[in-house]
Every structure is written in structure tokens, then in C-alpha cells.
Amino acid sequence: MAEPTKTTTKRKAAPPAVSPEKAETLRQLRANVGQLSTSTMRQLEKSLPWYSRLSSDERSALGLVAQNGIAAFVTWYERPSSPSWILTDVFGNAPTELTRSISLQKALQLIRIVVEVVEDQVPVIAPESDQPSLREAVLRYSREVAFAAADVYARAAESRGSWDTRLEALIVDAILRGENTDALRSRIAALGWKAQERFTVMVGNSPSEPSASYVSELRRTAGRFAEDALVGIQGDRLILILGGVQDRDTAYVKLSELFAPGAVVYGPEASSLLEASSSAQAAFAGLTAARAWPSAPRPVAADDLLPERVVSGDDAARRSLIKNIYRPLLAASNGLVETLGTYLELGHSLEATARELFVHANTVRYRLKRVCDVTGWDPLLPREAFVLQTALVVGRLSAQPKAAADRHASRSQN
């Protein structure tokens, strides 16, 4: 007859025996948790000047962290082999509020105060034979809490960095699309934008695989020349939105060195960040047309590419030439349009222009100087003369023929 099978039940390992001295220390620690917490709060107000300047809610949150730290130490002293719970037991739901209220340096100062208070009470709490063990435990526990605090701040910084990156991408996209809403204003404020004037947009090629260090280097360089900067990478395009640029010429040259090979174009300054979309549109139009001017400087202003932009179909460039060059020349009168047109048609010859207009060559020189004064473009320079000639072409095309204008006026009267 077979013997019945015996079933064996595994018993959980019994916790290690606690010495009488340690048992007494644990009893005293549990009995004095309230007193230690009160002493800690008093010491915080006495030793840390910044603590008293916090709001009541912030002081309450930090006080709760300190009290949790003392209560958790008692548990940790009993079972020091499992520190993984420190992050939850000490900080609880406070990490987000903690990182907003104080810096990591101040959090470590708070931990140091808690440790000092507990150390001062060691002779009162522990029997003499257990005091060295308790002091060593306090030091080890403070190390664990310090690491936990550093982890809290590292996680918060990583989360905040990811959120800022997403928010920055949304703002850049909204500016490029010309969005002007309360949501955009709110996002700009949330990002902490400080600049109030001198806004511009730079565009160019981005590296094929930009690294985090590349973007950081771009931000650091932009920070040396501008009050604020937004960085956006959309496909193979790199967009840099600058605010409060101090030294424009130096800033644009230095920043262009961080773009990938190819043209780098910056738009005209805008009066506000919400109006920077016009600068961005001009910059992108210039980037598209830049290949028509192989010898263009790097970086190049979008307004220096007005002729190429007109040929590529940019209506904003056409309107700019009419508004800023053609109409001012017409308004200035004194034959400036006629003189400029003749000078350009006759191969930039002063003498031939003078003979054609039956005036002295000095008169031609004077009028061409007036053209430069009125428009800001010098007809004696080949590149700027090309800009002026394009302005004359689009201006004449935009002007209503006289016969058509007369017929339109006659119909209106009838």
C-alpha cells in the first residue's frame, strides 16, 4: 500500500531578529516623530531665509515633504535594504509642485536640515550602544533621499524640456501660417518670450540628421545676439525666429554659419512676434528665388532678392517694389522716373542720357542721386540698378493705360 504523499509548504523567511537596543531606538523614533517634525519646521524657518518668503501653500507642501521624510526614515531604519519606495513615500504627489516652488539646490538644503535635526536628537532617542548605528543610518538615508530628489528634478526637467519643444514647434508653425489668435498669444507667454521689438526670421537648409547638440549650439549662439529665439526644423528647412536682435549684421553672419550648405535668407524686421509671419513669408520666398542669384551673399536679405522673387511669382515682392520704389519716384517728380529709365536703357551712360534728355551730365548725376535718396537704391551700382529697373517694369505694368482710364472715367460719368 502506497504511502500518502506528503505536501510541504514553504514558509516565508522570518525577518532578521532585532537587537534590544535597536528595538528601543525604533520605539523612541516612533514616539518622537511628531517632535522631530515640529523641530524640523522651526529649523527651516530659522536657517533658510527663502523658506519664509514662500506662499503658505508652498510652505505646506515642503513641510509635508519634510514630515514624510522623517516618518519614512523610521520605516527605512527598520528595513534599510529596500530604498525603492523613498521616491513615493517621501515626495508623494509633490514632485511637480516641488520643482515649481524651489530649485534642486534648495531642496537639498531642506534635506540637510532634516538630517541635522535627526542627528541632534540621536543622544536622546537611541541608547548609547546603538547611537553609532543610528548616525550611520541617518547618513545613508540622507544619501538615498538626495538621490531621489535629484531623480525628481531630472524627470521634471526632461518632461518640461519635451513640453517646451512641442510648444515651440506649435508657435513656429503658427507664425509661419500667419496665425494671430489668443491661443498663439497664450503659447508665447507660456514659453516665457521676453523680446518686445526687432523680430526677424531666418531660413535655410538644415542638416540631414540634426542632433540634440546641434540644436543646443544654435540656441546658445542665438542667445548671444538676441533676447529670444525659436528654432524650428521642418523637413530639410531650418527656421530661426529671433527677437530683440542687437547687432544685426554680426548676428546674421554668425548664425548663418550654423545652417547647412546653401542659401540663408532673413526677412525684414517685424514690429511684433505676431507680425513675424510677413518676415517668414518674405524669407521663404527669397530662399526659393535665391538660386537665380548664384553670387548672392550668405546670408542675404529677402529684400535684396526682390527681382528674383518677382520673376518667381511672388506678388508680395511686386507690391513692395511698387510701393517703396516706383510710387515714391513718381511722387518726387522732377523727371526722376524718365531720367532713371533712360539711363538704364542706354547702358548706364551718363553722357548718352544727358544727350537724350537734352540736359547737362551734372543734371543727370543730380537726378540719379535723388533716385538713391528717395528709394535707398543706388542706380550707379549694377545690382541695385537691376532692382530699380525691375521696379520700373512692374510699376509700369501696374499703371492703368491712359486710354483705358479715360474710358473708365467716361463710363462712370454716364
Side-chain angles (χ1 to χ4, degrees), residues 26-315:
L26 283 170
R27 189 184 69 80
Q28 289 291 335
L29 282 172
R30 294 189 181 99
N32 287 275
V33 167
Q35 180 182 350
L36 290 173
S37 299
T38 302
S39 300
T40 298
M41 301 306 294
R42 291 174 180 171
Q43 192 64 27
L44 288 176
E45 295 180 356
K46 179 181 178 181
S47 303
L48 302 178
W50 53 264
Y51 181 80
S52 60
R53 294 195 294 268
L54 298 175
S55 67
S56 58
D57 291 340
E58 291 170 337
R59 287 198 303 271
S60 176
L62 292 178
L64 183 61
V65 170
Q67 293 172 18
N68 288 345
I70 293 173
F73 170 70
V74 177
T75 305
W76 184 87
Y77 184 61
E78 184 176 5
R79 301 185 64 184
S81 61
S82 56
S84 59
W85 45 263
I86 288 179
L87 186 63
T88 302
D89 281 17
V90 176
F91 297 103
N93 296 323
T96 301
E97 298 300 327
L98 182 69
T99 56
R100 290 177 180 175
S101 301
I102 62 174
S103 64
L104 176 59
Q105 180 183 7
K106 291 180 178 179
L108 295 177
Q109 290 176 1
L110 183 145
I111 294 171
R112 179 175 56 80
I113 294 296
V114 174
V115 172
E116 289 177 352
V117 169
V118 176
E119 278 188 317
D120 290 343
Q121 296 298 316
V122 167
V124 178
I125 294 174
E128 185 174 355
S129 60
D130 198 42
Q131 289 180 14
S133 175
L134 181 58
R135 285 194 174 91
E136 180 182 355
V138 170
L139 294 177
R140 290 173 57 196
Y141 177 76
S142 65
R143 181 190 64 185
E144 299 293 347
V145 175
F147 283 143
D151 184 62
V152 166
Y153 278 82
R155 291 175 185 270
E158 183 178 357
S159 176
R160 186 164 53 247
S162 300
W163 183 81
D164 286 349
T165 300
R166 291 194 297 270
L167 182 61
E168 183 178 34
L170 288 173
I171 293 174
V172 170
D173 182 66
I175 290 174
L176 296 183
R177 290 187 288 105
E179 183 178 328
N180 188 353
T181 63
D182 291 337
L184 177 58
R185 294 184 181 89
S186 177
R187 290 169 182 167
I188 293 171
L191 200 59
W193 189 274
K194 302 183 293 295
Q196 300 296 324
E197 57 183 358
R198 300 189 303 277
F199 301 95
T200 193
V201 179
M202 293 184 70
V203 297
N205 295 330
S206 67
S208 57
E209 294 183 0
S211 62
S213 60
Y214 167 78
V215 176
S216 299
E217 175 63 21
L218 187 60
R219 292 186 193 280
R220 283 195 297 270
T221 304
R224 292 199 292 267
F225 299 102
E227 295 179 15
D228 289 296
L230 295 174
V231 179
I233 297 179
Q234 298 182 350
D236 60 348
R237 291 288 184 259
L238 173 62
I239 304 105
L240 188 59
I241 301 176
L242 304 172
V245 181
Q246 300 299 330
D247 186 353
R248 294 176 55 190
D249 295 336
T250 303
Y252 297 157
V253 171
K254 292 296 184 182
L255 290 171
S256 67
E257 295 173 356
L258 298 177
F259 284 72
V264 177
V265 183
Y266 57 91
E269 281 192 347
S271 58
S272 71
L273 186 59
L274 295 175
E275 297 175 4
S277 60
S278 59
S279 179
Q281 292 168 5
F284 272 103
L287 189 64
T288 300
R291 62 178 181 271
W293 185 13
S295 59
R298 188 177 190 267
V300 61
D303 286 347
D304 289 342
L305 289 160
L306 288 173
E308 289 80 8
R309 288 167 55 190
V310 168
V311 174
S312 68
D314 182 11
D315 194 55

